[in-house]
Amino acid sequence: MAEMKSMFREVLPKQGQLSVEDITTMVLCKPKLLPLKSLTLEKLEKMQQAAQDTIRQQEMAEKQQQQITH
């Protein structure tokens, strides 16, 4: 990689201390509210509940048919 020549010359002290004033601070931002459940998860749960309800209804209908025939 070719080195670029800077307009400024780096100067390091020959005596004393070298201090750097680059202080990192945390930046606070507005909190983001996230839903506890995603829309996709809610849809899947509704579909699963509907399927379970259908199965229960079919099982109850079969039990009633068995009671009638016996």
Side-chain angles (χ1 to χ4, degrees):
M1 220 158 96
E3 291 185 26
M4 294 181 57
K5 288 193 174 184
S6 161
M7 295 170 75
F8 302 104
R9 192 170 58 96
E10 183 179 287
V11 178
L12 296 174
K14 301 215 186 302
Q15 291 180 338
Q17 296 179 348
L18 176 64
S19 66
V20 178
E21 294 183 14
D22 186 22
I23 300 171
T24 58
T25 58
M26 292 195 333
V27 177
L28 299 177
C29 57
K30 188 176 179 180
K32 296 177 182 170
L33 297 176
L34 299 174
L36 295 176
K37 292 184 179 181
S38 67
L39 294 175
T40 306
L41 181 59
E42 288 180 6
K43 287 179 184 178
L44 287 172
E45 286 178 346
K46 285 180 184 177
M47 289 172 56
Q48 186 177 12
Q49 185 65 36
Q52 287 176 348
D53 290 343
T54 303
I55 290 171
R56 280 191 206 115
Q57 288 176 356
Q58 289 175 353
E59 287 174 349
M60 289 177 66
E62 288 175 7
K63 285 181 184 178
Q64 288 177 355
Q65 287 294 329
Q66 288 176 357
Q67 288 176 356
I68 293 173
T69 57
H70 289 301

